[in-house]
Amino acid sequence: MTPQLRRRLALTASITGAVLVALDGTALTVARPVLQRDLHASVAEVQWAGTGYLVTVAALLVFAGRLGDRYGHRRVFTIGVAGFAATSAGIALAPGIGWVIALRALQGVAGALLQPATLGMLRAVWPAERLAGAIAVRTAVIGLAAAAGPLVGGALTAHFGWRSVFLFGLLPAAAALLAALAVPSAVPPPAAPPAAAPPSAAPPAGTHPGTAAGGRGGLDLPGAALLALALACLVQTLVTLPDSGWSVTTAPGLAAAAVLAVALARHERRTARPLLPPALLRSPAVAAPLGVLLAASAALQGVLFPATYFLQDVQGLDPLQSALRAAPLAVAMILAAAGSSRLAKRHGERTVVLTGMALVTSGALLTARLGPGSGTVAITLCFLLLGAGFGAVMAAATAMVVRGASTAEAGVAGGLQQTALNVGPALGIALATTTAGSADPGAALMPAALTMAAVAAAGTLLATRVPVPARPADRKGASATHR
């Protein structure tokens, strides 16, 4: 198999796996009311079907990425896709809401396995100088799938019922499995002798023995448990905060997450084989883009949550009309993600990330100015700025995170990237609803949008810490050598 074909198959598997998750999440949102009526479930039970998935997937993403580093991303990806397909089929046949909740939690395990591997496979087979282009294509297709999800989910639910939404997911799952199985494993076998590794593959100074070569020295199970519990407490609290508000049940969740995070930090400093390599977390090429992704995703969803209520409750639009008003966001996100790689080559990735965060900040500020009399042009401009900014940031920052990690730690880096994109939206919505207080989300659009503009501005400042790409310097050095 030629390297070019290998790269194309890896990109196909990565895209179809990511599309599988994006379609599932967005299509299910439309089907929830019908699912509730059909299974005679309460609103809280239907919400737990979504919360159970979010909590499980967020808790396990980093550990799943480490499994890919150790055992091979293609193998972990294949298991994840197969598990996702099996649980989708199970949910489609579920006799009651209890089965749906349990299977959605299991589906979160499968989703955690496949998502970091979609980036790990790309890091393993794509050259570093071309990785940004592959991730830009992947990001653009994810945006397209997220935009099409509600339409597909609505059409399937209207004509065939809510169960068809889960059966439809079997199609991208089959495509992802076929593409992944066609890609030869790019990860060295665990039994490879250390002497076979080239000198350049030696772990950097400060890295504990046993963390190189895909983590062949062992798995940090205590660290994985502490991280999973901390993230589960954090995400569960953030997701339920918009409904429950700040109460006696909210504070313990955040306190537990903080205590577990401190315990995790102490454990990671003492263990010989940390789940989160210190050198990776300290690297500006990884840590800064991760922070930017967290801020961007929080700001975007923190604006969209009240904006949806604003369009329907304040401006009196029906769901279809409000969806059409928001459509420019998806279009701008797709175009910006697709063009981010070319812009990064010309102007540098830091410039693209800074510009994207500035657009998100501007979009949030303009959204805060919307009122009952705002016209289509003003609303469209807000969504265009938000979509273009987030699309550029997501593609460029993701490329920096994945490329900034070594091949042996690509899974952990992918898990951290996916964790940021899972925690960010929950954080943004929680902040937006907290800002709104007792007011309806639509009526509190201004304070919520201003808060999210502050979050995006903080992300913009963080983007200034993104290191300048080394490519221009390399070119100068090369020309000096030729002279």
Side-chain angles (χ1 to χ4, degrees), residues 64 102 285 347 396 452:
H347 304 290
M452 294 305 104

Side-chain angles (χ1 to χ4, degrees), residues 280-281 283-300 353 357 360 390 393-394 397-398 400-401 413 416-421 423-425 427 454-467:
L280 182 67
L281 295 180
S283 170
V286 175
L290 281 175
V292 172
L293 285 171
L294 181 68
S297 58
L300 178 68
V353 173
M357 289 306 301
V360 173
F390 184 75
V393 169
M394 183 176 175
T398 297
M400 296 187 72
V401 170
L416 290 170
Q417 185 264 359
Q418 293 291 328
T419 300
L421 293 179
V423 174
L427 177 61
V455 172
T460 306
L461 291 176
L462 187 58
T464 61
R465 297 183 59 85
V466 171

Side-chain angles (χ1 to χ4, degrees), residues 27 30 148-161 164-165:
V30 181
L151 300 176
V152 173
L156 289 173
T157 303
H159 292 89
F160 306 105
S164 63
V165 174

Side-chain angles (χ1 to χ4, degrees), residues 249-279:
T249 60
T250 304
L254 293 178
V259 171
L260 289 166
V262 171
L264 173 65
R266 289 173 57 88
H267 168 78
E268 293 294 276
R269 284 198 300 266
R270 296 177 178 180
T271 185
R273 304 182 183 96
L275 172 69
L276 300 171

Side-chain angles (χ1 to χ4, degrees), residues 13 92 126 132 152 179 202 210 215 302 329 350 368 393 404 444:
W126 279 79
V152 173
L329 183 145
R350 184 168 69 174
V393 169

Side-chain angles (χ1 to χ4, degrees), residues 235-319:
V235 173
Q236 196 275 335
T237 303
L238 292 176
V239 170
T240 56
L241 186 61
D243 294 321
S244 63
W246 293 100
S247 63
V248 293
T249 60
T250 304
L254 293 178
V259 171
L260 289 166
V262 171
L264 173 65
R266 289 173 57 88
H267 168 78
E268 293 294 276
R269 284 198 300 266
R270 296 177 178 180
T271 185
R273 304 182 183 96
L275 172 69
L276 300 171
L280 182 67
L281 295 180
R282 288 195 299 263
S283 170
V286 175
L290 281 175
V292 172
L293 285 171
L294 181 68
S297 58
L300 178 68
Q301 293 301 322
V303 171
L304 292 182
F305 180 76
T308 302
Y309 286 91
F310 168 81
L311 293 175
Q312 297 186 31
D313 297 343
V314 177
Q315 292 214 323
L317 303 178
D318 61 36

Side-chain angles (χ1 to χ4, degrees), residues 104-149:
R104 281 289 285 172
L106 287 175
Q107 195 169 57
V109 178
L113 289 173
L114 74 90
Q115 289 186 64
T118 62
L119 295 172
M121 288 190 298
L122 295 182
R123 179 67 177 87
V125 301
W126 279 79
E129 67 273 10
R130 298 181 60 187
L131 185 60
I135 290 179
V137 173
R138 175 184 178 274
T139 304
V141 177
I142 291 174
L144 180 61

